[in-house]
Amino acid sequence: MKKNLLLLFIGLILTPLQAQETTIEDALRLSVDHLTGTARFRAMGGAFGALGGDLSAMNQNPAGSLFFNNNYATITGTIYNTHNSSNYWGTHTKANDASLDINQAGAVFVFTDNSGATNWKKLAVALNYENTNNFNNSMNSAGINPYNSIGNYFMNQATNNGGIPQELLETLPNETFFDLYDYLGLLPNSDYPNINGFQAQEALLGYTAQIFHATSPNTYASNIPTGTSFFQNNYFTSTGYNGKVTGNFAAQYNDVLYLGLNINAHFTDYIRTTSVYEENTSPASSTTKIHSILFDNELHTFGSGFSFNIGAIVKVIPELRLGLAFESPTWYNLTDELTQYLEAASLNNTGLHYNVANPEITNVYAPYSIQTPSKWTGSLAYIYGKKGLISIDVSSKDYSMTRFKPKNVDPYNYLNNYMNTYLDRALELRIGGEYKIKQISLRGGYHFDQSPYKVDQVFGDLTGYSAGVGYNFGDWKLDLAYSNEHRNINQTFLSSGMTDAARISRHNNNITLSYSMNF
């Protein structure tokens, strides 16, 4: 009864809480670029920084909108397919996810001055929407862990930072709301300033499910049997997107210099669901020992952001263009909501007995901010008359400058120091080509994104290839593209205590179709 009351008290907390389990993954999810946009842009590997003439090219260099000769509009749909192969302690599992999305829509308006009264020959104004990242994904990792139980996670939460006071775990159901806020560290003058709300909540879940017990004041012992291995399974799904609306303004000086500016409004909506299951391969007969654990989490992150781009393109000769562009950091304001469920089964004379910790609430945490790193892009494009072209972009982004804010408050201070130490400047290479045969355009592309980490084991380099075809019907066009990307990453089941990682080999296969028209 006391344990049920304990969870009831937790469920009645007036939110928002002051801390949550934010990780480096949350920052990289918003900081790492993805090849998105129109079919022509994707087919040529996104190498449009000096080329322009495509609505997605404005993301590389905002001056590119000046290479439209007429008012122009494009709408794009993409079939996304993600294939994940997992290796966890020698066991291989696979998972696939597929979705369809309208990922781009926009238009550019071109104003030309042929009077000769000014050297400013052309103005362009554009509005474009792009889904900059599709979060639909599924992963399944399973295997026999010979050493570590996921129960270590809850023990770690109870013993970190000096530990959770035992007397409060035992007497909390009889305390007042003031004492509960004090215990969770939510009061300005808390008696327990080293206990943050999330850590305390996780410890309470583990204590309620009897994964650990107190042996002396502020000292705990695990109820997980020793000397055994553990079958573990982690099922991960995510949905959502990053979206960006861009307002573009660009001006052409004579036939040489092209200048552009983007103002970008970002918005993100991300839902991640994980279900971690563990079962002892040799369960103990003692009723004090845990036979299996099931831990479910659903995280919802949403918010908005702002950024800007500036860029210039110089036409050195009619065939050769050079480009330089700067993309500012994106400043996101975000909110996290989390729901959790935990059950642990132990053996007794009648079979398995389940201890359930189910608060049946959604924790809404205090808003926080993420500042992504800025990016510089240098570009070159060579146009072979009306027959074809080749384009190259090289970008640089310093991921060690990624920041959580408020930056001097834990856990954000720790995360910022971690990123400053382990993340690095990364280069991105994009190469694209196009060859025209009358109304038909044949395209191909390659892109390489360096890992954000100094040592890329956790989050590897990305390599991508693409190809496509387009047909010009006169006032309108159809473009089709196929792109493939591959990256290896490590995925841990839990953030602390038991951090054994599955090695994930991820392949993204996308088919994109765009319809464009002059108007």
Side-chain angles (χ1 to χ4, degrees):
M1 181 63 178
K2 283 189 175 183
K3 293 180 176 60
N4 291 333
L5 287 173
L6 174 61
L7 292 173
L8 178 61
F9 271 83
I10 297 174
L12 293 175
I13 294 175
L14 299 176
T15 54
L17 300 178
Q18 297 304 306
Q20 67 270 36
E21 190 179 39
T22 312
T23 67
I24 306 302
E25 177 189 343
D26 298 310
L28 293 181
R29 186 175 65 246
L30 298 170
S31 301
V32 174
D33 290 331
H34 298 266
L35 182 62
T36 62
T38 67
R40 184 173 181 239
F41 186 84
R42 284 178 181 256
M44 294 173 59
F48 275 79
L51 187 60
D54 186 279
L55 279 160
S56 293
M58 297 186 306
N59 295 318
Q60 289 292 88
N61 191 325
S65 61
L66 291 163
F67 291 91
F68 289 101
N69 295 320
N70 309 287
N71 297 342
Y72 195 83
T74 302
I75 186 169
T76 302
T78 297
I79 298 174
Y80 298 89
N81 179 270
T82 301
H83 176 78
N84 293 299
S85 297
S86 171
N87 182 355
Y88 185 64
W89 291 103
T91 300
H92 297 268
T93 53
K94 297 180 179 180
N96 290 280
D97 189 276
S99 60
L100 172 65
D101 187 33
I102 301 298
N103 65 285
Q104 181 275 330
V108 59
F109 301 88
V110 179
F111 306 92
T112 303
D113 185 354
N114 296 317
S115 67
T118 176
N119 290 325
W120 294 97
K121 302 296 185 180
K122 185 190 292 185
L123 294 176
V125 178
L127 184 66
N128 189 53
Y129 162 78
E130 287 203 7
N131 182 338
T132 59
N133 193 2
N134 183 298
F135 292 134
N136 291 351
N137 192 21
S138 297
M139 287 183 284
N140 186 42
S141 301
I144 303 295
N145 189 326
Y147 305 111
N148 298 313
S149 166
I150 66 175
N152 296 343
Y153 168 77
F154 300 97
M155 279 286 295
N156 189 66
Q157 299 294 343
T159 57
N160 259 352
N161 299 323
I164 306 290
Q166 176 195 347
E167 65 273 14
L168 289 178
L169 285 177
E170 295 176 344
T171 62
L172 188 58
N174 299 318
E175 301 297 327
T176 66
F177 279 105
F178 182 89
D179 295 316
L180 182 60
Y181 267 70
D182 191 27
Y183 168 62
L184 292 177
L186 302 181
L187 298 179
N189 299 313
S190 175
D191 293 335
Y192 306 98
N194 293 323
I195 303 172
N196 68 54
F198 181 82
Q199 178 193 338
Q201 176 175 296
E202 301 304 273
L204 288 168
L205 288 174
Y207 185 79
T208 302
Q210 299 183 20
I211 290 176
F212 63 89
H213 65 278
T215 58
S216 61
N218 306 338
T219 304
Y220 304 99
S222 174
N223 291 329
I224 307 295
T226 58
T228 184
S229 56
F230 307 91
F231 169 78
Q232 295 168 341
N233 186 89
N234 181 29
Y235 185 65
F236 169 105
T237 62
S238 62
T239 60
Y241 58 89
N242 269 359
K244 178 171 72 173
V245 175
T246 297
N248 170 265
F249 309 89
Q252 174 185 336
Y253 187 80
N254 286 326
D255 293 324
V256 177
L257 181 62
Y258 304 79
L259 303 172
L261 168 68
N262 288 349
I263 303 297
N264 308 303
H266 301 256
F267 42 93
T268 185
D269 194 282
Y270 172 76
I271 297 176
R272 181 186 70 212
T273 302
T274 59
S275 182
V276 182
Y277 176 77
E278 172 181 288
E279 185 175 309
N280 301 333
T281 57
S282 301
S285 59
S286 170
T287 58
T288 63
K289 299 299 183 181
I290 299 298
H291 168 72
S292 63
I293 299 173
L294 175 65
F295 186 35
D296 293 340
N297 286 264
E298 182 177 283
L299 173 69
H300 184 197
T301 300
F302 56 93
S304 59
F306 166 81
S307 70
F308 66 88
N309 306 61
I310 55 174
I313 298 174
V314 176
K315 187 183 289 186
V316 181
I317 56 176
E319 296 83 9
L320 179 64
R321 303 173 190 170
L322 300 178
L324 181 65
F326 171 76
E327 180 181 342
S328 78
T330 301
W331 295 274
Y332 283 100
N333 293 312
L334 303 170
T335 299
D336 285 352
E337 296 181 352
L338 178 67
T339 59
Q340 296 182 298
Y341 173 89
L342 175 66
E343 69 176 36
S346 57
L347 291 170
N348 59 24
N349 294 331
T350 60
L352 290 176
H353 173 70
Y354 291 90
N355 299 304
V356 176
N358 183 16
E360 298 186 83
I361 61 160
T362 297
N363 295 306
V364 181
Y365 295 96
Y368 63 101
S369 299
I370 291 178
Q371 177 183 311
T372 68
S374 60
K375 181 171 77 170
W376 285 93
T377 300
S379 310
L380 178 151
Y382 192 88
I383 296 92
Y384 301 93
K386 295 183 178 181
K387 284 293 184 180
L389 60 90
I390 186 168
S391 182
I392 301 173
D393 291 356
V394 178
S395 301
S396 175
K397 182 184 289 190
D398 188 354
Y399 287 94
S400 68
M401 300 303 295
T402 308
R403 292 291 180 267
F404 286 91
K405 297 180 180 179
K407 59 184 180 180
N408 294 322
V409 175
D410 283 333
Y412 307 129
N413 184 48
Y414 165 79
L415 293 172
N416 291 335
N417 290 335
Y418 180 95
M419 291 188 294
N420 190 58
T421 301
Y422 292 101
L423 301 187
D424 203 0
R425 182 175 297 277
L427 296 179
E428 177 184 341
L429 173 65
R430 299 186 178 194
I431 302 174
E434 181 179 59
Y435 185 77
K436 295 184 178 181
I437 306 172
K438 295 183 179 181
Q439 288 84 17
I440 299 175
S441 297
L442 304 177
R443 301 165 182 137
Y446 166 82
H447 68 282
F448 172 82
D449 297 353
Q450 200 171 14
S451 169
Y453 282 86
K454 292 179 180 179
V455 179
D456 66 3
Q457 179 70 18
V458 176
F459 193 93
D461 300 333
L462 180 143
T463 303
Y465 300 91
S466 54
V469 62
Y471 193 91
N472 190 337
F473 292 89
D475 286 336
W476 60 281
K477 301 177 183 179
L478 279 179
D479 297 298
L480 181 68
Y482 166 78
S483 60
N484 173 272
E485 298 174 335
H486 174 253
R487 168 175 269 150
N488 291 325
I489 62 172
N490 284 355
Q491 184 194 40
T492 57
F493 289 18
L494 296 166
S495 62
S496 64
M498 198 286 288
T499 56
D500 303 291
R503 186 64 169 172
I504 308 294
S505 177
R506 176 176 299 167
H507 288 268
N508 294 323
N509 297 281
N510 303 321
I511 298 175
T512 303
L513 179 67
S514 293
Y515 170 81
S516 305
M517 65 176 182
N518 295 302
F519 65 95

